[in-house]
Amino acid sequence: SVMVKAVSAGGKEQYKTHLSSNGRFQLRRIPAGDYNLESFYDTDSSGSYSFGIPTPFAPSEYFVIFPDTVSVRARWESSGYNLIYSID
């Protein structure tokens, strides 16, 4: 499954959710502030990003980072953020 997380600009706060079956995600009750959106394909179902290991080889999990900061305003919905995976 795909895990999506919003990380506060200072890196102290993290809010996580899974992508739904229709490819959408929703993070609720996030305090106002600036966040970075990150996501990764959680192949080992750990809920945390896996960096991979060299021996025996296991690749890191595929990830995408939204290229801009997302500003969350108090009591407002933020929408229209697309995290696009292109796995070839």
Side-chain angles (χ1 to χ4, degrees), residues 4-70:
V4 179
K5 66 180 183 174
V7 181
S8 65
K12 293 183 179 181
E13 303 293 328
Q14 294 187 8
Y15 303 90
K16 298 180 184 179
T17 189
H18 287 280
L19 211 59
S20 66
S21 60
N22 66 1
R24 296 180 181 270
F25 66 93
Q26 209 171 46
L27 295 161
R28 296 181 178 266
R29 302 189 194 319
I30 296 178
D34 293 332
Y35 294 87
N36 296 307
L37 282 181
E38 305 173 358
S39 67
F40 60 94
Y41 187 65
D42 193 14
T43 55
D44 61 4
S45 301
S46 68
S48 299
Y49 179 74
S50 296
F51 293 91
I53 54 174
T55 305
F57 179 73
S60 63
E61 293 174 322
Y62 189 77
F63 67 94
V64 172
I65 298 173
F66 191 70
D68 200 3
T69 302
V70 175

